Amino acid sequence: MNTPHLATSKNDTCRGSLACVGMGMTLGSHLTPLARSHIEQADVVFAALSNGVVEMWLERMHPDVRSLQPYYKPGKSRMKTYREWVQVMMTEVRAGKRVCGVFYGHPGIFAWSPHKVIEVARAEGFEAHMEPGISAEDCLYADLGIDPGRFGCQHFEASQLLFYERRIDPAGYLVLWQVALTGDWSLGRLETGPAYRQVLVELLNRDYPLDHELIIYRGATLPIEKPCVRRIALRDLPHVPLTAEETVVLPPATPLKPNSVIRDRLNALDKLYGTSTLA
């Protein structure tokens, strides 16, 4: 008599899956155990990392690491590149592979492809997961000594601040990303230039004086590096060299303004319920 067993289909045994994980910002020290596990257990690893040294370090963890950097070309829209990344990863998922996409920092912050490829994979019935990593934002708070809970903190991609009508609160921190690319509609340029940043300065001057001190920040990506921190006046922003990796931070320019109407309402509630009143 044969021993009964459960039949297993080929689709069950060769079902593809996807994990997009964050490498963190600083080589080696930011990779979480769970992210490492996804990398080591994958059949194929795709990498979009900050530099070649980090990529070589990743290659020590897995025998099949495929760089996504060659998809970038001068003058080529980054959106076209990002769509190609989605396609190349999904090709392997559909072939039944366990795929891991490794991205510098956090895979879901300023990263279109990880969100999109997970969306596509799930829509097609594949298991897909995002594993967070330490981002440039996390490093910024630590390196600059900023607590976003103290005054509040707004984050904008610099071009979005120009393309759309947004409301800035100068009583909190303002963090501007990719200022070197300010005003680029094409998504194909590595930088714009002083004239474009001058438009940004004029917009910011509605809420900040031109002598307001801002911080230009770039986090460390290698253990031997230190964070790069420069302080300049707002008026000088168009004239200083910037890279796409650098972030601009505007500290608060005005004090927090008490909301007397709401405070009175809350004080009345405190009296009603027998609790302490607001200062």
Side-chain angles (χ1 to χ4, degrees):
M1 182 177 180
N2 293 332
T3 302
H5 63 277
L6 296 175
T8 303
S9 70
K10 182 178 180 181
N11 286 340
D12 291 332
T13 58
C14 299
R15 188 66 172 165
S17 65
L18 171 71
C20 291
V21 308
M23 178 68 84
M25 296 304 297
T26 303
L27 174 62
S29 61
H30 288 174
L31 184 66
T32 67
L34 192 51
R36 179 185 289 271
S37 176
H38 281 295
I39 294 169
E40 293 175 342
Q41 295 178 22
D43 295 314
V44 56
V45 174
F46 290 95
L49 300 174
S50 55
N51 60 55
V53 174
V54 180
E55 196 169 292
M56 287 189 290
W57 186 84
L58 179 62
E59 289 171 351
R60 295 166 53 188
M61 297 173 55
H62 197 280
D64 189 1
V65 174
R66 305 178 191 180
S67 176
L68 294 170
Q69 294 297 333
Y71 289 87
Y72 285 118
K73 301 292 182 184
K76 177 182 177 181
S77 170
R78 291 187 295 280
M79 184 53 66
K80 182 176 181 180
T81 295
Y82 299 152
R83 293 185 187 279
E84 290 172 345
W85 288 5
V86 171
Q87 284 301 112
V88 73
M89 286 187 281
M90 283 305 305
T91 295
E92 296 299 327
V93 172
R94 293 171 184 136
K97 303 286 184 64
R98 290 174 298 180
V99 175
C100 183
V102 184
F103 300 84
Y104 70 89
H106 188 302
I109 297 180
F110 281 86
W112 183 87
S113 297
H115 287 291
K116 187 63 179 180
V117 72
I118 287 174
E119 175 190 331
V120 172
R122 288 175 176 170
E124 295 183 15
F126 296 102
E127 180 181 347
H129 171 74
M130 179 177 287
E131 185 61 30
I134 293 176
S135 69
E137 178 186 350
D138 301 315
C139 296
L140 181 151
Y141 293 142
D143 292 335
L144 300 184
I146 292 174
D147 179 356
R150 186 179 180 191
F151 300 113
C153 191
Q154 291 180 294
H155 292 260
F156 292 106
E157 196 273 337
S159 291
Q160 186 186 97
L161 196 61
L162 297 183
F163 296 159
Y164 302 95
E165 295 184 3
R166 308 303 301 266
R167 297 177 65 181
I168 295 174
D169 178 9
Y173 286 95
L174 176 64
V175 181
L176 300 179
W177 301 88
Q178 299 181 337
V179 174
L181 302 171
T182 296
D184 177 29
W185 289 98
S186 71
L187 298 180
R189 301 160 74 175
L190 297 178
E191 61 179 341
T192 47
Y196 291 83
R197 275 182 265 155
Q198 182 61 39
V199 177
L200 176 62
V201 167
E202 291 171 10
L203 177 70
L204 293 172
N205 188 217
R206 299 175 185 175
D207 297 288
Y208 301 88
L210 289 175
D211 61 355
H212 186 68
E213 183 181 79
L214 56 79
I215 305 166
I216 300 174
Y217 168 80
R218 180 177 61 80
T221 58
L222 299 176
I224 60 173
E225 293 180 338
K226 292 184 177 181
C228 179
V229 178
R230 294 184 283 161
R231 299 177 187 272
I232 65 169
L234 173 59
R235 64 164 54 88
D236 297 327
L237 183 59
H239 313 296
V240 298
L242 285 179
T243 67
E245 294 77 25
E246 289 179 302
T247 303
V248 173
V249 180
L250 283 78
T254 61
L256 293 170
K257 182 179 180 180
N259 188 327
S260 58
V261 174
I262 296 297
R263 287 187 175 211
D264 289 344
R265 288 186 62 186
L266 294 176
N267 278 331
L269 289 174
D270 287 342
K271 291 176 181 178
L272 178 64
Y273 293 107
T275 56
S276 61
T277 59
L278 290 169

